[in-house]
Amino acid sequence: MIPPEHRILIADLIHEQARSLLASRPGFDVAVATGLNEAELTERIGDYDGIIVRSKTRVTASIISGGQRLKVIGRAGIGVDNIDVAAATERGIVVLNTPDANATTTAELALAHLLSLSRHLPQADRSMRAGEWQPAKFVGTELSGKSVGVIGFGTIGRIFARRCLALKMHVLAYDPFVTPEIIKRAGAEPVTFDALLARADYVSLHCPLTEETLNLIGAERLTQMKPGARLINCARGGLVDEAALGEALQSGHLAGAALDVFAHEPPSDSPLLELDTVVLTPHLGASTKEAQQAVSVKIAEDMAAFLTTGEAPSAVNLPRVSTEQLGRARPYRHLAHALGRFIAAITPDPITELEVGLFGRAAELDPRPITSQALVGLLDKRLAVPVNQVNAAQLAQRQGIAVRETRSEVTHDYIALVELRATTTSGTTSVAGTLLGERLPRLIRVDAYEVEAVPEGHVLFTRHDDRPGVVGALGSILGRENINISRMQVGIANGKDEAIALIGISASLSEKALAEIEELPAIRQVVQIVL
């Protein structure tokens, strides 16, 4: 008997159709063993080429080290925080996930909450069960002709918007990382954050939770919302300041809210639990039979495709270049990632084009892994889905970013140079970097300003009037905040009344201190970056 070519272990419960799909493939053998602890799984994993998990089983470095045959780890769902991706990457093991398989289900839940808020369905149901018959108490609101604001215009936000358009609603969309053309093409109106809050009858959140979006909807933003508006959050707990939301509802400024996610789950001490104007659900975003089936079948299909063809469109860590090229490109990839993150931070408008230029010795390299890392740096803090060198180009295209690569053996002053040029509707921003000793990254230019800065750690970047006293004022604020300065570079350009500063600092500045810097008369832009 010929032994199976590919052995798969299913370690968490998934849909039976997924198991059948794998088992029906020629050369595949599938085993199901759920509920194994780390020691048991470590002992067993050595016999398998692939493992599929949901969120319950943790694939640790210990388990990965025991996988002598292991080639691929599949996560039936979006998050891979239960998988040691770094350990898998070090071992050359591909990690797959299914970022969009439950998008429709989550969008539909947001729509269900929209309808529940409009017609007071949960409250009316409770009233009926209490033996009441009070139709006049639950007079609702018609959705047709109303405005709905969609904050975050990724896959889920766009599906939600299409369904709202079908209800004859006017869709306002805000996403600082999606171009207005992409939003218009979807039938929505691109607006600023402030305009969306002021105009929308309903506001629905569909953005990732990051340091920048934590408490995105806080007390100040809630007061900006249209009186009588309603808020929906089926995205991430922590996007909404729940205490401030409770106050906005109790004061009558907002007519209602619906939440499926919370800062702490379960939300046992949330003030929202006591309010009748709030609809609450226990994180049901992906909880439909169809979504559970979809993520299971998708991961089975992707794992089978990878093991038989090597294709992995949903991989989070798959290199696509020869080992030799990757080795030569590694320091340039690190440099490109830092430049991408830097240019993303200093470019506030949606980027329509990113040009990646390799000059001098860098032009000898395959540009793809370098461009991919530039895109990862550009996008990884802006999107909810994991961004990696495999999916970065696809995600950039979805955001409306055209990517160009240029190479030239000619360069001035430096043996090798990597340059990024980001184009927006308001202009072009460029950054350039090089390697010292072919391994130490340096940021050498921002637009027309020459500098020599180390792109690592906490960096404070400013554009300011070129006049005395600015650096001293910055230093005073940093000193008062007990923040040490590790290094500082100031750049000036001929014929300009503006200068820039890059200040390496020991820790992140508080929002209050950052706001104080912004208020300095000479400051035109200040950005805090972690590289």
Side-chain angles (χ1 to χ4, degrees):
M1 182 177 178
I2 301 175
E5 185 179 356
H6 307 296
R7 301 195 67 199
I8 308 297
L9 176 64
I10 298 175
D12 284 330
L13 290 175
I14 63 172
H15 197 276
E16 173 61 24
Q17 184 179 344
R19 190 205 65 81
S20 299
L21 185 152
L22 286 169
S24 66
R25 296 290 183 103
F28 278 71
D29 177 69
V30 181
V32 179
T34 60
L36 299 179
N37 60 34
E38 184 178 25
E40 293 169 334
L41 195 51
T42 300
E43 181 179 357
R44 188 161 181 172
I45 196 63
D47 295 329
Y48 296 93
D49 302 283
I51 179 173
I52 294 177
V53 298
R54 293 293 305 271
S55 58
K56 184 176 181 180
T57 296
R58 300 190 64 83
V59 185
T60 63
S62 174
I63 292 169
I64 290 169
S65 66
Q68 292 84 3
R69 292 180 51 169
L70 196 61
K71 301 179 183 67
V72 57
I73 301 167
R75 163 72 164 98
I78 182 171
V80 292
D81 53 314
N82 59 319
I83 299 170
D84 193 328
V85 178
T89 302
E90 186 176 343
R91 292 286 306 276
I93 298 167
V94 172
V95 179
L96 308 174
N97 69 344
T98 57
D100 291 334
N102 60 4
T104 296
T105 284
T106 304
E108 288 181 353
L109 178 64
L111 186 68
H113 276 312
L114 182 96
L115 292 163
S116 292
L117 286 174
S118 301
R119 302 306 297 270
H120 311 295
L121 300 182
Q123 297 89 337
D125 175 78
R126 289 194 295 270
S127 174
M128 286 284 293
R129 294 177 187 276
E132 300 174 348
W133 183 266
Q134 297 181 315
K137 184 179 178 181
F138 304 108
V139 175
T141 302
E142 191 172 284
L143 293 177
S144 179
K146 298 297 189 301
S147 292
V148 57
V150 182
I151 299 176
F153 212 63
T155 301
I156 297 172
R158 296 178 203 193
I159 294 172
F160 176 76
R162 285 198 295 271
R163 280 149 177 73
C164 291
L165 288 168
L167 293 172
K168 306 300 183 184
M169 300 186 76
H170 181 65
V171 178
L172 310 171
Y174 169 74
D175 191 320
F177 311 122
V178 178
T179 60
E181 289 71 21
I182 292 291
I183 294 174
K184 290 176 183 177
R185 200 178 303 163
E189 178 188 350
V191 295
T192 65
F193 195 5
D194 291 344
L196 184 147
L197 295 176
R199 293 172 54 189
D201 300 297
Y202 299 83
V203 174
S204 187
L205 304 180
H206 299 282
C207 49
L209 179 64
T210 66
E211 291 182 5
E212 291 75 19
T213 61
L214 179 64
N215 287 332
L216 179 69
I217 304 297
E220 182 179 350
R221 292 297 189 185
L222 287 165
T223 60
Q224 290 180 255
M225 290 179 64
K226 187 177 182 178
R230 296 169 171 86
L231 178 68
I232 301 161
N233 184 17
C234 294
R236 294 289 186 272
L239 293 175
V240 177
D241 182 333
E242 294 170 18
L245 175 60
E247 293 175 3
L249 291 164
Q250 288 179 311
S251 71
H253 178 64
L254 294 189
L259 283 78
D260 183 55
V261 288
F262 307 88
H264 302 286
E265 297 182 352
S268 55
D269 58 348
S270 174
L272 302 177
L273 294 170
E274 307 300 322
L275 300 180
D276 197 48
T277 51
V278 183
V279 179
L280 306 173
T281 50
H283 207 144
L284 301 178
S287 296
T288 64
K289 293 178 180 179
E290 292 81 2
Q292 301 301 309
Q293 180 177 346
V295 297
S296 299
V297 171
K298 177 62 175 171
I299 200 63
E301 290 174 342
D302 286 356
M303 182 169 286
F306 172 73
L307 289 173
T308 54
T309 70
E311 297 180 1
S314 62
V316 301
N317 67 338
L318 180 65
R320 306 293 287 177
V321 182
S322 70
T323 303
E324 185 269 338
Q325 277 282 332
L326 281 175
R328 291 181 59 198
R330 185 172 293 112
Y332 292 97
R333 292 166 61 208
H334 293 323
L335 173 62
H337 185 275
L339 294 177
R341 181 165 288 186
F342 187 87
I343 204 168
I346 69 172
T347 308
D349 297 329
I351 295 171
T352 57
E353 180 180 280
L354 182 73
E355 181 179 341
V356 180
L358 305 182
F359 302 95
R361 190 170 293 175
E364 301 171 2
L365 300 170
D366 187 325
R368 292 178 297 171
I370 298 172
T371 297
S372 292
Q373 284 302 316
L375 288 171
V376 172
L378 185 76
L379 298 172
D380 64 356
K381 293 295 185 181
R382 299 184 171 200
L383 303 179
V385 299
V387 183
N388 59 78
Q389 60 182 344
V390 175
N391 65 5
Q394 179 183 5
L395 292 173
Q397 182 180 21
R398 193 177 77 178
Q399 299 304 112
I401 302 172
V403 179
R404 294 178 55 211
E405 295 172 339
T406 59
R407 287 192 287 177
S408 172
E409 295 180 357
V410 178
T411 184
H412 301 287
D413 300 326
Y414 296 94
I415 295 174
L417 192 74
V418 177
E419 182 183 50
L420 305 187
R421 297 178 63 83
T423 301
T424 71
T425 55
S426 58
T428 298
T429 300
S430 67
V431 297
T434 191
L435 298 174
L436 297 186
E438 297 190 349
R439 62 188 182 89
L440 301 175
R442 291 293 184 270
L443 175 63
I444 61 169
R445 191 174 67 246
V446 179
D447 292 331
Y449 302 97
E450 302 289 339
V451 294
E452 187 181 324
V454 179
E456 65 181 24
H458 297 271
V459 176
L460 190 68
F461 171 80
T462 67
R463 295 183 191 269
H464 56 267
D465 295 344
D466 185 13
R467 68 188 194 191
V470 177
V471 173
L474 292 173
S476 296
I477 295 173
L478 293 174
R480 192 167 63 252
E481 291 290 309
N482 206 25
I483 299 292
N484 291 326
I485 297 175
S486 58
R487 58 183 71 90
M488 177 184 291
Q489 281 283 314
V490 176
I492 58 176
N494 292 332
K496 287 182 175 288
D497 61 355
E498 179 186 79
I500 66 169
L502 291 97
I503 306 171
I505 55 178
S506 58
S508 292
L509 275 174
S510 67
E511 290 298 322
K512 180 181 178 182
L514 203 61
E516 188 176 352
I517 292 174
E518 289 177 337
E519 291 173 1
L520 293 174
I523 296 297
R524 303 182 184 185
Q525 181 188 19
V526 58
V527 179
Q528 190 167 212
I529 313 164
V530 180
L531 298 172

